[in-house]
Amino acid sequence: MPNLSYKPSDNAGSIVALLAGLAVGAVLGVLFAPESGKRTRRRISDKAVDAVDSIQDGYQSIRRQVSTRKDDLVDLKDRMVNKVKAKAAVVSQDFQDFKDSELEKIKSKVHHDGNTDSI
C-alpha cells in the first residue's frame, strides 16, 4: 500500500530566513567596515546583487521541489485511479459470472421442471 502521509517540511521558510539573514549580515558588515564611501557603496551593490542571485537560486529550488511534489501527487493519483478501475473490472466480471451462473441454474430448473410436468 502506498504511503499516503505527507509531512510538509519548512524548507522554503528556512531558505528565505537564511537568505534574509545573509543579506542583512553582509550589508551591516560592509557598512561598519572602514573604507571609502565609493568603495562601500560598490560593495553594498555587489552584496545586493549576490543576495538577489541567492534569492533567485532559492526560488528556483523551491519551484523544483513544488514541481517534483506535484508530479509525485499526479503519479499517485494515476496509480490509485488505475487500481480502482482494475478492481471495478474484477468486481464487474465477478458479478457477470455470478449472474450468468444463476441464470443457467434457473433455466435448468425451468427446463427440468417443464420435463417432469409432461411425465
Side-chain angles (χ1 to χ4, degrees), residues 13-14 21 46 98 112:
S14 298
D46 291 345
F98 172 75
H112 179 62

Side-chain angles (χ1 to χ4, degrees), residues 17-38:
L18 174 67
L19 294 175
L22 288 172
V24 169
V27 169
L28 289 176
V30 170
L31 286 176
F32 288 106
E35 295 181 350
S36 71
K38 184 176 183 177

Side-chain angles (χ1 to χ4, degrees), residues 47-65:
K47 295 294 181 181
V49 168
D50 291 344
V52 168
D53 289 343
S54 294
I55 290 170
Q56 287 175 338
D57 291 344
Y59 172 74
Q60 292 302 325
S61 174
I62 291 168
R63 281 191 61 191
R64 282 190 300 275
Q65 288 177 7

Side-chain angles (χ1 to χ4, degrees), residues 84-101:
V84 168
K85 285 180 179 178
K87 189 66 172 176
V90 167
V91 168
S92 177
Q93 186 61 49
D94 288 349
F95 177 76
Q96 185 68 37
D97 293 345
F98 172 75
K99 182 187 82 164
D100 292 345
S101 170

